[in-house]
Amino acid sequence: MKELQGAGVALITPFKEDGAIDVLALKKVVAHNIEGGIDYLVVLGTTAESVTLTKAEKLLVMRTVEEANAGVLPLVIGVGGNNTMGLVEELQTLDLSAYTAILSVSPYYNRPTQEGIFQHFKALSLVSPLPIIVYNVPGRTGSNMLPETVVRLAESFENIVAVKEACGDMQQVLELISKRPEGFLILSGDDITALPSIVAGGDGVISVIGQGLPVEFSKMVHEGLNGNTDEAYKYHYKLQEGMKLIFEEGNPAGIKVIFEYLGIAKPFVRLPLMSATDSLKHRIVSFMESVIRIPA
């Protein structure tokens, strides 16, 4: 699916100081990414703090992004969790007509076996109205979806079309790239390894920092995909410090500091997360000032 190649971003959910969703700020985030050259938007991924949103709030986020995007960019919707039957019901009842694909994280906390992971995604595949991107992020889920499981899913179900791989292990990424079926997309889920993954044969990234610095990040990705490795790495090194800083105290506390710096959204997160400390804010602001001094 060409719509899922390139630079995708997992959008934040901006909050007001009282904890309510900041609809105006969310619209500004969408516009910032459209104008910055991002290829597609991921709505209600884990970066959106989706596990802390009510059903009504999730619908508000969806409709807000749909309205702000106005059909300009492809949209991917996050529908993931550790209750397989609950997700099956959600996929059967949600209006997903505005979306191109589903991003679904491997079950967290339960720590299923590889067979359990396979059966989970099989159940989702059988009812999904849209293509599925499976998402492996062992640092958050407590289990690693191994390359053989990803390849088995890709070969077994035509509507499982891509993996967002955030294992942080380039050896595992290389194994995926070498063993994947033709047409199956390997998307990086780690900003810091996004370009190395693309240079090795990957198809793009679903990024966090990209939504804050869409011009620089999308240029990095596109130059990498076009084989202009030296030029792509210029952007990578320009962004590298920020890629590390924004995750230092948990996601999305760091990226929200960038949006505060840009005057787009406030830095509030929901418990059990905490907003970035003053020390981290200072370092992120210093990073942003250094990036802005360097022409895109």
Side-chain angles (χ1 to χ4, degrees):
M1 291 186 65
K2 289 185 178 180
E3 302 97 323
L4 302 178
Q5 293 177 322
V9 293
L11 296 174
I12 62 163
T13 302
F15 297 119
K16 300 177 182 178
E17 190 169 6
D18 64 0
I21 292 173
D22 191 335
V23 170
L24 180 59
L26 181 54
K27 290 180 179 180
K28 290 179 180 178
V29 170
V30 172
H32 182 62
N33 280 275
I34 292 172
E35 293 163 7
I38 291 299
D39 296 310
Y40 61 94
L41 307 175
V42 178
V43 185
L44 294 177
T46 49
T47 297
E49 298 174 76
S50 51
V51 293
T52 69
L53 301 179
T54 67
K55 187 175 181 180
E57 286 175 328
K58 288 181 179 180
L59 289 173
L60 174 61
V61 168
M62 290 172 67
R63 303 310 168 221
T64 299
V65 174
E66 291 164 21
E67 179 184 335
N69 182 58
V72 176
L73 297 181
L75 299 178
V76 173
I77 181 73
V79 183
N82 58 357
N83 177 356
T84 306
M85 291 303 102
L87 293 175
V88 165
E89 182 180 354
E90 194 172 350
L91 287 173
Q92 291 174 319
T93 55
L94 269 178
D95 176 12
L96 300 176
S97 55
Y99 294 85
T100 295
I102 288 159
L103 175 67
S104 194
V105 67
S106 183
Y108 46 82
Y109 189 78
N110 311 56
R111 298 183 69 183
T113 62
Q114 295 301 304
E115 184 62 27
I117 293 170
F118 177 86
Q119 294 297 331
H120 169 84
F121 283 118
K122 174 182 178 180
L124 302 190
S125 170
L126 293 176
V127 299
S128 178
L130 294 174
I132 297 173
I133 307 166
V134 298
Y135 178 17
N136 184 41
V137 55
R140 285 178 175 252
T141 63
S143 63
N144 185 13
M145 181 164 49
L146 297 175
E148 50 262 38
T149 301
V150 175
V151 170
R152 184 182 171 204
L153 286 165
E155 291 176 341
S156 300
F157 307 105
E158 288 185 1
N159 62 345
I160 295 181
V161 298
V163 61
K164 178 185 177 184
E165 181 54 80
C167 63
D169 179 355
M170 277 305 298
Q171 185 173 342
Q172 182 163 317
V173 172
L174 292 172
E175 186 176 346
L176 271 171
I177 291 170
S178 67
K179 293 182 177 179
R180 64 174 167 177
E182 185 176 352
F184 186 79
L185 303 181
I186 309 298
L187 307 173
S188 174
D190 283 316
D191 285 339
I192 201 74
T193 60
L195 183 57
S197 298
I198 289 168
V199 171
D203 301 283
V205 56
I206 296 176
S207 171
V208 175
I209 201 169
Q211 67 192 297
L213 291 159
V215 172
E216 293 85 354
F217 192 85
S218 61
K219 284 183 177 179
M220 180 194 81
V221 171
H222 296 152
E223 294 289 359
L225 287 170
N226 289 331
N228 302 323
T229 306
D230 290 346
E231 188 66 20
Y233 267 106
K234 290 179 184 178
Y235 290 104
H236 173 88
Y237 292 130
K238 181 177 176 180
L239 298 173
Q240 184 171 260
E241 182 186 1
M243 293 174 182
K244 296 175 183 176
L245 285 173
I246 62 168
F247 295 105
E248 191 171 296
E249 294 179 1
N251 185 39
I255 186 64
K256 286 191 170 184
V257 174
I258 289 180
F259 278 117
E260 181 184 37
Y261 175 85
L262 295 170
I264 292 174
K266 298 297 183 182
F268 306 117
V269 295
R270 281 188 175 174
L271 288 171
L273 297 180
M274 296 293 292
S275 296
T277 60
D278 288 343
S279 171
L280 180 59
K281 281 185 178 182
H282 176 75
R283 284 179 286 142
I284 291 175
V285 167
S286 295
F287 159 74
M288 288 297 291
E289 289 173 344
S290 73
V291 168
I292 287 171
R293 283 198 300 268
I294 305 170

